[in-house]
Amino acid sequence: MTSQGRTMADWRRRTVSNGSIDLAVFELGDESNPTVVLVHGWPDTHHLWTHVAPAIAAAGYHVAAYDTRGYGETSAPDGDAPYRLADVATDLFAVADAVSPDAPVHVVAHDWGSVQTWEAVTTPGAEKRIKSFVSVSGPNLDYLSEWARKNLARPTPANLAKAFSQLGSSAYTGFFQAPVLPNLFWRAAGRPGLWREFLHRIEGTPKDNVVLGDTFTADTISGLRYYRANIRQKLADPEPRPTKVPVLEIVNERDVALRPTIYDYTHTHAENLWRRNSSTGHWLPYTNPDYLVATALDFIDSLEGRSGNRPATLDRARVLSTPGKLTGKLAVITGAGSGIGRETAYALAERGCEIVIADLDFDSAEATAINCKALGAQAHSYDLDVSDVAAFNAFAATVAAKHGVADIVVNNAGVGLGGSALAATDEQLDRVLAINLRGVMTGCRAFGRQMVERGIGGNIINIASAAAFTPQKGLGIYAASKAGVLLFSESLRAELAEHRIGVTAICPGIVNTNIVSNTPLAGFDDDAVEQEHRDRLDSFYQRRNFGPEKVARDIVAALEANKAVAPVTPEAKLGYRVYRFTPWLARLMARGDILR
């Protein structure tokens, strides 16, 4: 819905009084249904929820959105004092009592709406009136002050970087608290057309999605009183209080104002906390309303016992310890029954991901899943032949239906082939290309389509090889398959960039896994001679002693940094540079025979 006329016409308006404050409340849906209260922030009004409220109402809820004090059709008392959080939090309780007198309400709040809802849910006894809280881009200011103090009390480079990064992102709040100038600025700049253009440029928000009220310019100025009344006081004298209300934090990783790390300590105060991280921006209700609705309903429905056959996604979002960047993500890994795939599953499990493990050998996949569970992760095992395109596509559909859309996909399954390219059989060539190249392409396409449709980004990791850029006599077919993975990954990265989906090619060198012991060598008529050469090569890899756990560590680092190409092992890093800057040397070195 992008037309204000079409969506606003269905609202039912009422006025709720809280002392001298008259609150304009707008409702949708059957009042006998559980109630969801929507609370906006700066510089919005209830219009912020134009694309959210109808969808929540259609899901069987009574929805109430209100203009907070100082905005829209609600009272705007003079001065800054009436806008202190302790006072505006009482407005939320007044609305809740009016629209749902007999049952506690669910709250979804954004920006300063979320800030004031944090004040409400940390009020003693709040759980009697508020059943749940979905927080979007609005921290608890007491917790934020605590976070800043902890980082500055231990001024390590990492902690200082976090503190100064957030300081830079929120520098505008200092200007907003200055006298006179911000009012003059917004009197000139607070125009609906300029605001729509700003949101479009800063995070790609469709201009037609931004629905603003007639009071927008006045609201931008009036809302500055929230900054003046609260920020300095809360940062100077924080009082972090606990809450028993179940809370879902939606953390937008591309938020221009708030860095994800500021939420690190929420779990120490919120007894029941869930967290969703996504590659989204600050104005989620305008830019990705469908994602916000789906995520909020997942949470609210679970508390109402309405989840039905929906994929169980909330369990992995539960926060029990300090969250990381990958906490609550769903990771799918092929070829995870052994080697690099298995160690990557362990590394992601330790970082709070739910793991889907696929392997041609189901027993080995199950063993990996059992070990992931021992690390505290949810894990599921599947048998999968990645060379079977139909089976791979069916697997991707099953994952989405049972576990949700994957946030991370690691296309790791692969096989080796050594020996003469001319001597290799057609069957050997077809098998290598079907698994190493076509299998990767199938995985990228099947899961990539799901990520694009969901619209909140993701990451695809493709395991290539240093052979992709290190030509070697005796590895031509294998190297060609991995070179295809590398170039496909870089091309796909460009294609998916607009969807905030990162694609990374991992290029390991000599790694001690079981792939060598299972690698056929073309050109040997005598099985014993072939085995002798294979054993010699395997022995060399074992002496090299670069284990798959080290590759997994680098995979996680590349994932978190969203690298395009990540050579792994010293020889891979050297080979990458040699091939880029002195390709003639790489071609000369390729004449050496690795099988002798």
Side-chain angles (χ1 to χ4, degrees):
M1 300 182 182
T2 58
S3 165
Q4 180 176 341
R6 287 169 51 201
T7 56
M8 294 298 104
D10 296 328
W11 292 99
R12 303 185 301 274
R13 189 194 185 287
R14 75 160 91 176
T15 299
V16 173
S17 294
N18 180 27
S20 63
I21 305 296
D22 288 335
L23 299 151
V25 180
F26 304 83
E27 298 171 79
L28 290 173
D30 189 335
E31 294 183 21
S32 66
N33 290 332
T35 298
V36 179
V37 176
L38 307 177
V39 191
H40 70 85
W42 181 90
D44 303 295
T45 59
H46 70 282
H47 293 86
L48 174 75
W49 307 108
T50 295
H51 315 295
V52 173
I56 294 178
Y61 289 95
H62 168 222
V63 179
Y66 68 99
D67 292 342
T68 62
R69 66 171 70 185
Y71 290 95
E73 299 178 36
T74 287
S75 302
D78 294 333
D80 297 336
Y83 298 88
R84 292 195 179 107
L85 290 176
D87 294 319
V88 296
T90 66
D91 294 344
L92 173 56
F93 287 117
V95 171
D97 288 341
V99 300
S100 181
D102 300 322
V105 301
H106 302 278
V107 180
V108 180
H110 176 258
D111 191 75
W112 273 100
S114 177
V115 173
Q116 60 190 273
T117 302
W118 272 115
E119 185 75 14
V121 299
T122 56
T123 301
E127 67 277 5
K128 297 175 183 177
R129 293 302 299 124
I130 299 177
K131 191 169 184 178
S132 76
F133 170 32
V134 178
S135 170
V136 187
S137 290
N140 181 303
L141 292 187
D142 297 294
Y143 301 171
L144 176 60
S145 178
E146 177 189 47
W147 171 86
R149 288 162 183 259
K150 286 185 176 180
N151 280 283
L152 295 175
R154 298 179 61 248
T156 64
N159 286 346
L160 289 175
K162 292 177 185 177
F164 283 109
S165 174
Q166 180 54 49
L167 180 63
S169 295
S170 57
Y172 71 95
T173 63
F175 171 67
F176 281 10
Q177 296 173 70
V180 183
L181 283 178
N183 287 22
L184 293 175
F185 174 82
W186 286 110
R187 200 175 304 279
R191 299 288 183 266
L194 292 175
W195 189 245
R196 291 188 179 97
E197 184 66 30
F198 170 75
L199 296 189
H200 178 67
R201 289 182 178 273
I202 203 71
E203 56 184 61
T205 309
K207 294 180 184 180
D208 287 347
N209 276 17
V210 182
V211 182
L212 306 173
D214 296 335
T215 58
F216 178 74
T217 302
D219 293 336
T220 61
I221 298 169
S222 177
L224 298 176
R225 293 180 283 201
Y226 284 81
Y227 292 87
R228 295 194 295 264
N230 296 291
I231 290 181
R232 280 175 290 185
Q233 178 259 323
K234 285 289 188 180
L235 295 182
D237 186 24
E239 185 187 356
R241 300 174 300 187
T243 180
K244 296 180 180 179
V245 174
V247 178
L248 170 64
E249 283 183 326
I250 297 180
V251 178
N252 299 306
E253 295 169 346
R254 295 191 298 110
D255 196 315
V256 296
L258 302 165
R259 303 270 65 85
T261 185
I262 68 172
Y263 304 102
D264 283 353
Y265 299 124
T266 307
H267 71 282
T268 64
H269 302 292
E271 293 182 12
N272 301 291
L273 178 67
W274 288 257
R275 178 169 172 169
R276 287 275 194 230
N277 288 41
S278 60
S279 181
T280 43
H282 185 84
W283 273 274
L284 196 63
Y286 284 145
T287 309
N288 298 87
D290 292 343
Y291 167 68
L292 175 55
V293 168
T295 304
L297 286 177
D298 266 356
F299 185 59
I300 296 169
D301 281 350
S302 70
L303 297 175
E304 290 289 339
R306 293 182 169 193
S307 296
N309 296 323
R310 185 179 301 151
T313 64
L314 274 178
D315 287 346
R316 65 173 175 265
R318 187 72 181 265
V319 179
L320 300 174
S321 60
T322 302
K325 190 172 183 179
L326 303 181
T327 298
K329 303 280 190 183
L330 176 65
V332 177
I333 309 171
T334 66
S338 61
I340 293 172
R342 171 172 282 184
E343 293 298 332
T344 301
Y346 296 161
L348 292 176
E350 289 175 339
R351 285 159 178 80
C353 292
E354 180 177 355
I355 313 296
V356 173
I357 298 148
D359 200 283
L360 188 60
D361 182 347
F362 178 76
D363 290 340
S364 66
E366 180 65 16
T368 301
I370 291 171
N371 291 334
C372 287
K373 291 174 184 177
L375 294 170
Q378 297 180 72
H380 320 275
S381 49
Y382 292 85
D383 62 316
L384 175 67
D385 179 356
V386 300
S387 67
D388 185 333
V389 175
F392 207 152
N393 286 327
F395 166 69
T398 298
V399 169
K402 289 188 175 181
H403 312 292
V405 175
D407 302 292
I408 302 164
V409 174
V410 183
N411 289 301
N412 166 74
V415 294
L417 177 64
S420 168
L422 302 184
T425 66
D426 289 341
E427 289 77 12
Q428 288 175 324
L429 187 151
D430 289 343
R431 180 170 182 265
V432 169
L433 294 181
I435 295 173
N436 290 4
L437 182 55
R438 182 60 189 267
V440 169
M441 289 180 168
T442 303
C444 290
R445 284 156 50 83
F447 287 104
R449 291 187 187 110
Q450 294 177 3
M451 291 180 180
V452 168
E453 183 178 358
R454 181 178 59 172
I456 62 165
N459 288 91
I460 297 173
I461 307 293
N462 295 328
I463 308 302
S465 169
F469 46 74
T470 310
Q472 292 179 16
K473 179 181 177 180
L475 282 180
I477 293 174
Y478 175 78
S481 71
K482 293 300 186 178
V485 170
L486 175 59
L487 192 56
F488 176 71
S489 299
E490 295 208 67
S491 301
L492 188 64
R493 181 181 178 88
E495 180 177 334
L496 297 182
E498 65 180 289
H499 301 289
R500 306 289 178 181
I501 300 171
V503 182
T504 300
I506 304 292
C507 300
I510 300 171
V511 181
N512 184 20
T513 68
N514 62 357
I515 189 171
V516 175
S517 60
N518 295 321
T519 294
L521 303 178
F524 292 94
D525 296 330
D526 189 314
D527 291 345
V529 174
E530 179 184 353
Q531 187 61 46
E532 178 185 346
H533 283 279
R534 186 184 296 110
D535 290 344
R536 185 182 305 137
L537 189 61
D538 193 27
S539 177
F540 171 71
Y541 273 63
Q542 291 178 23
R543 290 196 305 273
R544 175 66 176 80
N545 199 29
F546 194 99
E549 73 283 352
K550 297 178 182 178
V551 181
R553 177 196 62 202
D554 287 352
I555 288 174
V556 172
L559 166 65
E560 291 183 332
N562 189 24
K563 290 185 177 180
V565 179
V568 178
T569 72
E571 66 275 6
K573 295 173 183 178
L574 176 62
Y576 189 54
R577 285 159 179 79
V578 168
Y579 191 70
R580 289 180 65 191
F581 300 112
T582 56
W584 60 269
L585 180 59
R587 289 191 288 269
L588 184 63
M589 294 169 62
R591 298 180 185 181
D593 196 334
I594 64 169
L595 299 181
R596 298 192 184 278

